Amino acid sequence: MSEMTAATRTALPPVFERIDDLRARLGGVRADGDRIVLVPTMGALHAGHRALVDRARELGEYVVVSIFVNPLQFGPSEDLDRYPRTLETDLAALAGRADAVFAPSVSQMYPDGPTATRISAGEAGTVFEGASRPGHFDGMLTVVAKLLNIVQPSFAMFGQKDAQQVYLVQRMVHDLNLPVSIEAVPTVRESDGLALSSRNRYLAAPARAASVEVFSALADAADARQHGVEAVLAAARSRIEAEPAVKLDYLVAVDPATFLPVHDGYRGPVTLLLAAAVGEARLIDNAQLLIE
Ligand code: AMP
């Protein structure tokens, strides 16, 4: 039976800080025959995360949201220290949505310091987002593997917003025969198209106004899809180049099945990946297109 009865609908979800305590609770859930769904997050929850949690509820009876800012996936010059930590508000946002929150400390997850054992994302982890953030995907996969082993869910939810992340997690699950199904959830956007992100709070007003061009570039690219891959890329690039406040990091069209770049003459599904610096923030977004 789900714990989400009418009486608990507005109550804050129980918070587990210790792996042993969470596992003991989940043992009981499993014994009742309930399917567990994991939603891994770093907190600072917004409507994008809530979409993952709401979809999780459709897939199983017991929804666990993990909130953990994973040091392993941050580079030395990245925003680990200033990454927003808003546990109280996050719990309120999960009231009536999650059955449990797993919010471990760094020492709970890494009692011996950064793990000597790591998952390698391989070549595909060193390109695009991985080229700009060396080691990011190895750190991400390592914590996702730990979370999957701790929670042992039937399903784990990831946002399509982080397309390379979903690809790499799906490949890890395939390569290592992990007994879990990965569900990708479409990107939730602001009304002007900006993809929701915990890092959008780094956008000061002028940068926020310019940031809409990231989405507009993807929209222009989609409009050009009948003219082939190079036209798609050119349409996106010219939109970005027209806005000096947006500095393009990478723009590439990949085959979603392999994450390898595709070129003119290619026909089939494409994921268009874009990353750009806008003011203090680094934004990533993507679109899925069919080139016919
Ligand atoms: P994060 O807390 O940024 O690590 O994100 C946790 C999960 O939420 C990841 O699977 C993200 O891809 C997903 N996510 C973040 N932003 C969005 C969004 N705007 N729409 C859908 N999913 C998202």
Side-chain angles (χ1 to χ4, degrees):
M1 262 282 292
S2 166
E3 291 189 355
M4 202 55 60
T5 62
T8 58
R9 214 171 286 276
T10 52
L12 297 182
V15 180
F16 295 85
E17 294 174 358
R18 291 175 40 82
I19 295 167
D20 287 352
D21 294 341
L22 179 67
R23 280 192 156 149
R25 176 71 195 96
L26 295 178
V29 171
R30 243 175 248 113
D32 288 344
D34 284 348
R35 283 162 306 183
I36 297 165
V37 188
L38 172 65
V39 184
T41 81
M42 299 203 299
L45 301 183
H46 51 63
H49 298 109
R50 290 200 296 276
L52 267 61
V53 177
D54 291 348
R55 175 77 183 118
R57 181 144 298 291
E58 296 172 359
L59 296 174
E61 290 76 32
Y62 195 90
V63 175
V64 180
V65 177
S66 63
I67 297 180
F68 181 61
V69 182
N70 173 35
L72 241 51
Q73 69 191 66
F74 285 76
S77 59
E78 292 186 17
D79 57 348
L80 175 62
D81 292 337
R82 69 177 183 133
Y83 196 86
R85 288 160 173 87
T86 61
L87 187 59
E88 297 283 296
T89 341
D90 291 348
L91 293 180
L94 293 172
R97 284 193 150 88
D99 294 292
V101 169
F102 177 46
S105 62
V106 171
S107 62
Q108 181 67 197
M109 288 295 274
Y110 301 117
D112 310 314
T115 52
T117 307
R118 300 280 169 101
I119 304 277
S120 167
E123 285 268 316
T126 64
V127 291
F128 319 136
E129 211 42 25
S132 300
R133 308 183 64 189
H136 167 70
F137 285 123
D138 292 0
M140 179 279 292
L141 288 182
T142 301
V143 82
V144 169
K146 281 174 72 82
L147 290 168
L148 291 174
N149 285 329
I150 291 166
V151 175
Q152 298 180 27
S154 302
F155 297 90
M157 317 298 298
F158 290 85
Q160 184 57 38
K161 152 92 169 37
D162 299 288
Q164 195 172 2
Q165 170 168 280
V166 187
Y167 171 78
L168 292 171
V169 169
Q170 269 165 339
R171 206 185 54 175
M172 171 177 76
V173 164
H174 171 82
D175 285 351
L176 302 183
N177 306 94
L178 303 183
V180 63
S181 297
I182 301 302
E183 264 293 294
V185 175
T187 302
V188 177
R189 299 177 179 280
E190 302 279 6
S191 54
D192 65 0
L194 176 66
L196 294 184
S197 164
S198 308
R199 290 187 168 102
N200 288 355
R201 65 188 70 198
Y202 301 153
L203 289 167
R208 172 64 187 85
S211 66
V212 69
E213 296 305 328
V214 169
F215 175 70
S216 304
L218 295 176
D220 286 1
D223 287 344
R225 68 185 174 278
Q226 69 274 25
H227 303 298
V229 172
E230 295 307 327
V232 159
L233 293 170
R237 193 174 295 110
S238 71
R239 185 78 181 217
I240 293 290
E241 284 171 0
E243 173 50 80
V246 180
K247 306 271 183 268
L248 192 62
D249 178 350
Y250 61 83
L251 169 69
V252 62
V254 299
D255 177 345
T258 61
F259 245 70
L260 293 172
V262 296
H263 300 287
D264 244 2
Y266 172 88
R267 298 280 175 272
V270 150
T271 304
L272 189 61
L273 304 167
L274 195 163
V278 189
E280 293 289 293
R282 186 164 179 287
L283 304 181
I284 63 169
D285 204 342
N286 66 87
Q288 290 168 303
L289 313 176
L290 185 62
I291 312 257
E292 289 176 307

